[in-house]
Amino acid sequence: MATDIIIKPIKDSKISNVDFSNLPFGKVFSDHIFQCEYIDGAWQNPIIKPNEPILLNPAAKIFHYGQSIFEGMKAYKDGNGEVFLFRPEENCKRLNLSAKRLMMPEIPADLFMDGLKKLLEIDSDWIPTTEGSSLYVRPFMFASGEGLHASPADSYTFIISTAPSGAYFSGKVTVLIEEKYARAANGGVGFAKAGGNYAAQFYPTQLAIEKGYNQVIWTDDNSHQFIEEAGAMNIFIRIGEVLITSPTNDRILDGITRKSILQIAKDQNIPIEVRKISVSEVVQAAREGNLKEMFGAGTAAVISPIAEFGYQGVDYELPELKDTYASLFKEKITDIQTNKSEDPYGWRVVV
Ligand code: PLP
Ligand code: COI
C-alpha cells in the first residue's frame, strides 16, 4: 500500500449492540472512519480512527456556501469471508468530477482506494452477509477552511464512513411525476453528487409524500415534458419489449448502476434505447397497456421496481409481471457484486 495511514483503533467496539438481522439503511455506523485533510495545497494526515463527532469552526465554509460532495458505494462479503467492492474506480472518478465543478480539490485515486481498502479490512466484521444487506460506504468531502468571503475554502476534509445497511425502500415504490419543481438546471450541478442537490429535493418530495407517493420523478427543468431521474436513482422504462432510459446530461447523475444495466442489456440482446422519453409517451403506453415496467437503479436502491406513478391527478398502476427486466438485472448485478457468479466485465474488485 502506497499510503502511510495512521491507525488509531477504537477501545470498545460497538458491534455487539447491532442487530444484523434487522438493519435499517444508513443509520448504524461502523467503528472507524478514514479521514484526511487538504491543507496548503496537498492532501495530508491520512488516519483511520473511531467514528466520533468532529470539531469544526462555525465559520467553516461548508456551513455557509455548501461546498460538500459525496459518493455512495457498497462492500459485500461472500461465504468464504472475502470482501468485494463494485466498480470503485468509477466512484473515485465521479467524486473528482463533482470536486472540479464545486471548486474543491480532487483526491488521488490511490489515496481514495488505499484508505477505503484499509478501512474495510479493519471493519470487515461490520459487513453483513444476509441477503439484501451490505456495508454501505459513504466517501464525502467538505470545505473545512474558514471565512465568510463567498469564495472557495482553502482547506477541505475527506472522510469515508461505513454503515451496515438493509434495503433503501421498504414496500412498494410509488412515484409522482413532477410538473413544477426541478432538482437541476442546464449549466448547474445536477450531474455532480453535491449535497445541495439533495437538499433541493426535500421540499417537493415532502409534497409528494403528503399526496401518498414515496418519490418524485424529476422532469426537465425547462418544459417538464421529459423524464429525467428520481431522487436517488436513474429511471428505466419498458414499453413493450424495449427498455428506454434518458441520456445523461448536465442535469442527471451518471449512475454506475445505470451504466452496468446498459452493458448487461446489450449482452442479453434486450432492445435498449437511450433517448429522451416524454411523459406523454409513458402515459399513452400506460393507457394502451404497453407500459410493462418502470424501475429505478442506484447503489442504495439497487433496482427498485415502481408499482405506480401519478401524473396530473391520475394514478397509473404498473402490471405485476412474472419475468421482468428489473429482476433479471437485479440478479445479474447482485450475483456479480456478491461473488455468486462469474464477472465477465471485471467490475468486482477484491479488497
Ligand atoms: N441519481 C441520483 C440523483 C443518485 O443520487 C444516485 C445514487 O447514487 C443515482 C442516480 C444512481 O447512481 P449509482 O448507480 O452510481 O449509485
Ligand atoms: C446511493 O445510491 O449510493 C446514493 O448516493 C443515494 C443516496 C442519496 C442514498
Side-chain angles (χ1 to χ4, degrees), residues 25 70-73 94 136-138 168 193 198 231-233 298-301:
F25 176 84
F70 71 95
E71 270 303 319
M73 1 180 16
R94 193 171 60 190
Y136 186 72
V137 177
R138 173 53 63 88
Y168 190 73
K193 250 176 121 60
Y198 298 79
M233 309 182 288
T299 299

PDB file of all heavy atoms in Angstrom, residues 25 70-73 94 136-138 168 193 198 231-233 298-301, ligand 2:
ATOM      1  N   PHE A  25     -31.437   1.379   6.738  1.00  0.00           N
ATOM      2  CA  PHE A  25     -30.467   1.912   5.772  1.00  0.00           C
ATOM      3  C   PHE A  25     -29.774   3.141   6.369  1.00  0.00           C
ATOM      4  O   PHE A  25     -30.441   4.133   6.714  1.00  0.00           O
ATOM      5  CB  PHE A  25     -31.144   2.301   4.447  1.00  0.00           C
ATOM      6  CG  PHE A  25     -30.154   2.932   3.508  1.00  0.00           C
ATOM      7  CD1 PHE A  25     -29.346   2.143   2.708  1.00  0.00           C
ATOM      8  CD2 PHE A  25     -29.974   4.316   3.488  1.00  0.00           C
ATOM      9  CE1 PHE A  25     -28.381   2.717   1.892  1.00  0.00           C
ATOM     10  CE2 PHE A  25     -29.017   4.901   2.668  1.00  0.00           C
ATOM     11  CZ  PHE A  25     -28.221   4.090   1.867  1.00  0.00           C
ATOM     12  N   PHE A  70     -20.320  13.996  -2.207  1.00  0.00           N
ATOM     13  CA  PHE A  70     -20.226  12.660  -1.621  1.00  0.00           C
ATOM     14  C   PHE A  70     -20.328  11.594  -2.688  1.00  0.00           C
ATOM     15  O   PHE A  70     -20.618  11.867  -3.847  1.00  0.00           O
ATOM     16  CB  PHE A  70     -21.300  12.473  -0.538  1.00  0.00           C
ATOM     17  CG  PHE A  70     -22.722  12.365  -1.042  1.00  0.00           C
ATOM     18  CD1 PHE A  70     -23.308  11.127  -1.265  1.00  0.00           C
ATOM     19  CD2 PHE A  70     -23.481  13.500  -1.305  1.00  0.00           C
ATOM     20  CE1 PHE A  70     -24.620  11.018  -1.725  1.00  0.00           C
ATOM     21  CE2 PHE A  70     -24.789  13.400  -1.766  1.00  0.00           C
ATOM     22  CZ  PHE A  70     -25.350  12.151  -1.964  1.00  0.00           C
ATOM     23  N   GLU A  71     -20.079  10.361  -2.275  1.00  0.00           N
ATOM     24  CA  GLU A  71     -20.279   9.194  -3.143  1.00  0.00           C
ATOM     25  C   GLU A  71     -21.077   8.142  -2.369  1.00  0.00           C
ATOM     26  O   GLU A  71     -21.213   8.220  -1.143  1.00  0.00           O
ATOM     27  CB  GLU A  71     -18.942   8.607  -3.602  1.00  0.00           C
ATOM     28  CG  GLU A  71     -18.428   9.212  -4.893  1.00  0.00           C
ATOM     29  CD  GLU A  71     -19.432   9.069  -6.029  1.00  0.00           C
ATOM     30  OE1 GLU A  71     -20.060   8.000  -6.166  1.00  0.00           O
ATOM     31  OE2 GLU A  71     -19.607  10.021  -6.791  1.00  0.00           O
ATOM     32  N   GLY A  72     -21.597   7.169  -3.081  1.00  0.00           N
ATOM     33  CA  GLY A  72     -22.312   6.055  -2.453  1.00  0.00           C
ATOM     34  C   GLY A  72     -21.827   4.770  -3.083  1.00  0.00           C
ATOM     35  O   GLY A  72     -21.845   4.626  -4.302  1.00  0.00           O
ATOM     36  N   MET A  73     -21.321   3.867  -2.253  1.00  0.00           N
ATOM     37  CA  MET A  73     -20.848   2.569  -2.752  1.00  0.00           C
ATOM     38  C   MET A  73     -21.223   1.500  -1.743  1.00  0.00           C
ATOM     39  O   MET A  73     -21.711   1.827  -0.658  1.00  0.00           O
ATOM     40  CB  MET A  73     -19.326   2.541  -2.972  1.00  0.00           C
ATOM     41  CG  MET A  73     -18.652   3.766  -2.619  1.00  0.00           C
ATOM     42  SD  MET A  73     -16.873   3.982  -2.795  1.00  0.00           S
ATOM     43  CE  MET A  73     -16.261   2.735  -3.828  1.00  0.00           C
ATOM     44  N   ARG A  94     -16.013   9.859 -10.329  1.00  0.00           N
ATOM     45  CA  ARG A  94     -17.181  10.750 -10.222  1.00  0.00           C
ATOM     46  C   ARG A  94     -17.004  11.750  -9.077  1.00  0.00           C
ATOM     47  O   ARG A  94     -17.422  12.908  -9.179  1.00  0.00           O
ATOM     48  CB  ARG A  94     -18.455   9.914 -10.057  1.00  0.00           C
ATOM     49  CG  ARG A  94     -19.725  10.718 -10.264  1.00  0.00           C
ATOM     50  CD  ARG A  94     -20.946   9.846 -10.321  1.00  0.00           C
ATOM     51  NE  ARG A  94     -21.137   9.086  -9.103  1.00  0.00           N
ATOM     52  CZ  ARG A  94     -22.027   8.110  -8.974  1.00  0.00           C
ATOM     53  NH1 ARG A  94     -22.801   7.775  -9.991  1.00  0.00           N
ATOM     54  NH2 ARG A  94     -22.160   7.471  -7.836  1.00  0.00           N
ATOM     55  N   TYR A 136     -22.874  -0.218   3.447  1.00  0.00           N
ATOM     56  CA  TYR A 136     -22.956   0.996   2.634  1.00  0.00           C
ATOM     57  C   TYR A 136     -21.750   1.870   2.953  1.00  0.00           C
ATOM     58  O   TYR A 136     -21.426   2.090   4.118  1.00  0.00           O
ATOM     59  CB  TYR A 136     -24.264   1.741   2.916  1.00  0.00           C
ATOM     60  CG  TYR A 136     -24.458   2.917   1.987  1.00  0.00           C
ATOM     61  CD1 TYR A 136     -24.769   2.710   0.647  1.00  0.00           C
ATOM     62  CD2 TYR A 136     -24.298   4.211   2.431  1.00  0.00           C
ATOM     63  CE1 TYR A 136     -24.917   3.774  -0.222  1.00  0.00           C
ATOM     64  CE2 TYR A 136     -24.444   5.286   1.572  1.00  0.00           C
ATOM     65  CZ  TYR A 136     -24.764   5.057   0.242  1.00  0.00           C
ATOM     66  OH  TYR A 136     -24.895   6.115  -0.619  1.00  0.00           O
ATOM     67  N   VAL A 137     -21.076   2.337   1.912  1.00  0.00           N
ATOM     68  CA  VAL A 137     -19.836   3.090   2.079  1.00  0.00           C
ATOM     69  C   VAL A 137     -20.078   4.527   1.609  1.00  0.00           C
ATOM     70  O   VAL A 137     -20.546   4.753   0.488  1.00  0.00           O
ATOM     71  CB  VAL A 137     -18.698   2.451   1.243  1.00  0.00           C
ATOM     72  CG1 VAL A 137     -17.420   3.262   1.357  1.00  0.00           C
ATOM     73  CG2 VAL A 137     -18.454   1.004   1.687  1.00  0.00           C
ATOM     74  N   ARG A 138     -19.788   5.469   2.465  1.00  0.00           N
ATOM     75  CA  ARG A 138     -20.071   6.864   2.138  1.00  0.00           C
ATOM     76  C   ARG A 138     -18.783   7.712   2.201  1.00  0.00           C
ATOM     77  O   ARG A 138     -18.390   8.184   3.254  1.00  0.00           O
ATOM     78  CB  ARG A 138     -21.133   7.386   3.113  1.00  0.00           C
ATOM     79  CG  ARG A 138     -21.463   8.869   3.073  1.00  0.00           C
ATOM     80  CD  ARG A 138     -21.823   9.384   1.714  1.00  0.00           C
ATOM     81  NE  ARG A 138     -23.013   8.829   1.083  1.00  0.00           N
ATOM     82  CZ  ARG A 138     -24.254   9.273   1.230  1.00  0.00           C
ATOM     83  NH1 ARG A 138     -24.507  10.272   2.034  1.00  0.00           N
ATOM     84  NH2 ARG A 138     -25.259   8.730   0.571  1.00  0.00           N
ATOM     85  N   TYR A 168     -33.025   0.112   0.975  1.00  0.00           N
ATOM     86  CA  TYR A 168     -33.292   1.556   0.991  1.00  0.00           C
ATOM     87  C   TYR A 168     -34.794   1.829   1.041  1.00  0.00           C
ATOM     88  O   TYR A 168     -35.250   2.711   1.760  1.00  0.00           O
ATOM     89  CB  TYR A 168     -32.677   2.184  -0.263  1.00  0.00           C
ATOM     90  CG  TYR A 168     -32.666   3.689  -0.242  1.00  0.00           C
ATOM     91  CD1 TYR A 168     -31.789   4.378   0.587  1.00  0.00           C
ATOM     92  CD2 TYR A 168     -33.525   4.429  -1.054  1.00  0.00           C
ATOM     93  CE1 TYR A 168     -31.764   5.769   0.611  1.00  0.00           C
ATOM     94  CE2 TYR A 168     -33.508   5.808  -1.045  1.00  0.00           C
ATOM     95  CZ  TYR A 168     -32.625   6.482  -0.208  1.00  0.00           C
ATOM     96  OH  TYR A 168     -32.609   7.856  -0.191  1.00  0.00           O
ATOM     97  N   LYS A 193     -22.443  14.932  -7.524  1.00  0.00           N
ATOM     98  CA  LYS A 193     -23.084  14.436  -6.312  1.00  0.00           C
ATOM     99  C   LYS A 193     -22.814  15.461  -5.211  1.00  0.00           C
ATOM    100  O   LYS A 193     -22.019  15.257  -4.298  1.00  0.00           O
ATOM    101  CB  LYS A 193     -22.537  13.049  -5.949  1.00  0.00           C
ATOM    102  CG  LYS A 193     -23.605  11.973  -6.165  1.00  0.00           C
ATOM    103  CD  LYS A 193     -23.120  10.604  -5.932  1.00  0.00           C
ATOM    104  CE  LYS A 193     -23.889   9.900  -4.846  1.00  0.00           C
ATOM    105  NZ  LYS A 193     -25.313   9.739  -5.075  1.00  0.00           N
ATOM    106  N   TYR A 198     -29.475  17.360  -3.083  1.00  0.00           N
ATOM    107  CA  TYR A 198     -30.410  16.532  -2.308  1.00  0.00           C
ATOM    108  C   TYR A 198     -31.274  17.434  -1.437  1.00  0.00           C
ATOM    109  O   TYR A 198     -32.488  17.224  -1.319  1.00  0.00           O
ATOM    110  CB  TYR A 198     -29.633  15.453  -1.539  1.00  0.00           C
ATOM    111  CG  TYR A 198     -28.913  14.547  -2.527  1.00  0.00           C
ATOM    112  CD1 TYR A 198     -27.714  14.938  -3.130  1.00  0.00           C
ATOM    113  CD2 TYR A 198     -29.498  13.368  -2.963  1.00  0.00           C
ATOM    114  CE1 TYR A 198     -27.086  14.168  -4.103  1.00  0.00           C
ATOM    115  CE2 TYR A 198     -28.882  12.589  -3.935  1.00  0.00           C
ATOM    116  CZ  TYR A 198     -27.685  12.995  -4.501  1.00  0.00           C
ATOM    117  OH  TYR A 198     -27.085  12.231  -5.472  1.00  0.00           O
ATOM    118  N   GLY A 231     -34.975  10.762  -7.080  1.00  0.00           N
ATOM    119  CA  GLY A 231     -34.182  11.396  -6.035  1.00  0.00           C
ATOM    120  C   GLY A 231     -32.834  10.745  -5.829  1.00  0.00           C
ATOM    121  O   GLY A 231     -31.836  11.422  -5.582  1.00  0.00           O
ATOM    122  N   ALA A 232     -32.780   9.417  -5.896  1.00  0.00           N
ATOM    123  CA  ALA A 232     -31.522   8.719  -5.651  1.00  0.00           C
ATOM    124  C   ALA A 232     -31.320   7.597  -6.666  1.00  0.00           C
ATOM    125  O   ALA A 232     -30.598   6.642  -6.398  1.00  0.00           O
ATOM    126  CB  ALA A 232     -31.522   8.155  -4.234  1.00  0.00           C
ATOM    127  N   MET A 233     -31.991   7.726  -7.829  1.00  0.00           N
ATOM    128  CA  MET A 233     -31.947   6.616  -8.802  1.00  0.00           C
ATOM    129  C   MET A 233     -32.075   7.162 -10.223  1.00  0.00           C
ATOM    130  O   MET A 233     -32.789   8.141 -10.457  1.00  0.00           O
ATOM    131  CB  MET A 233     -33.138   5.664  -8.592  1.00  0.00           C
ATOM    132  CG  MET A 233     -33.340   5.167  -7.189  1.00  0.00           C
ATOM    133  SD  MET A 233     -34.738   4.015  -7.088  1.00  0.00           S
ATOM    134  CE  MET A 233     -36.139   5.096  -7.302  1.00  0.00           C
ATOM    135  N   GLY A 298     -29.878   2.349  -8.659  1.00  0.00           N
ATOM    136  CA  GLY A 298     -28.846   3.112  -7.957  1.00  0.00           C
ATOM    137  C   GLY A 298     -28.163   2.225  -6.927  1.00  0.00           C
ATOM    138  O   GLY A 298     -28.666   1.144  -6.618  1.00  0.00           O
ATOM    139  N   THR A 299     -27.058   2.684  -6.394  1.00  0.00           N
ATOM    140  CA  THR A 299     -26.315   1.877  -5.438  1.00  0.00           C
ATOM    141  C   THR A 299     -27.161   1.565  -4.200  1.00  0.00           C
ATOM    142  O   THR A 299     -27.292   0.409  -3.799  1.00  0.00           O
ATOM    143  CB  THR A 299     -25.026   2.625  -5.031  1.00  0.00           C
ATOM    144  OG1 THR A 299     -24.263   2.805  -6.204  1.00  0.00           O
ATOM    145  CG2 THR A 299     -24.226   1.838  -4.007  1.00  0.00           C
ATOM    146  N   ALA A 300     -27.732   2.607  -3.601  1.00  0.00           N
ATOM    147  CA  ALA A 300     -28.530   2.388  -2.390  1.00  0.00           C
ATOM    148  C   ALA A 300     -29.793   1.604  -2.725  1.00  0.00           C
ATOM    149  O   ALA A 300     -30.139   0.633  -2.040  1.00  0.00           O
ATOM    150  CB  ALA A 300     -28.877   3.723  -1.748  1.00  0.00           C
ATOM    151  N   ALA A 301     -30.473   2.022  -3.765  1.00  0.00           N
ATOM    152  CA  ALA A 301     -31.783   1.435  -4.101  1.00  0.00           C
ATOM    153  C   ALA A 301     -31.655   0.122  -4.880  1.00  0.00           C
ATOM    154  O   ALA A 301     -32.651  -0.565  -5.088  1.00  0.00           O
ATOM    155  CB  ALA A 301     -32.579   2.437  -4.911  1.00  0.00           C
TER     156      ALA A 301
HETATM  157  C1  COI B   2     -26.511   5.947  -3.474  1.00  0.00           C
HETATM  158  O1  COI B   2     -27.286   5.285  -4.130  1.00  0.00           O
HETATM  159  O2  COI B   2     -25.481   5.490  -3.007  1.00  0.00           O
HETATM  160  C2  COI B   2     -26.765   7.348  -3.184  1.00  0.00           C
HETATM  161  O3  COI B   2     -25.829   8.074  -3.025  1.00  0.00           O
HETATM  162  C3  COI B   2     -28.119   7.804  -2.976  1.00  0.00           C
HETATM  163  C4  COI B   2     -28.271   8.408  -1.617  1.00  0.00           C
HETATM  164  C5  COI B   2     -28.957   9.690  -1.736  1.00  0.00           C
HETATM  165  C6  COI B   2     -28.890   7.481  -0.639  1.00  0.00           C
END
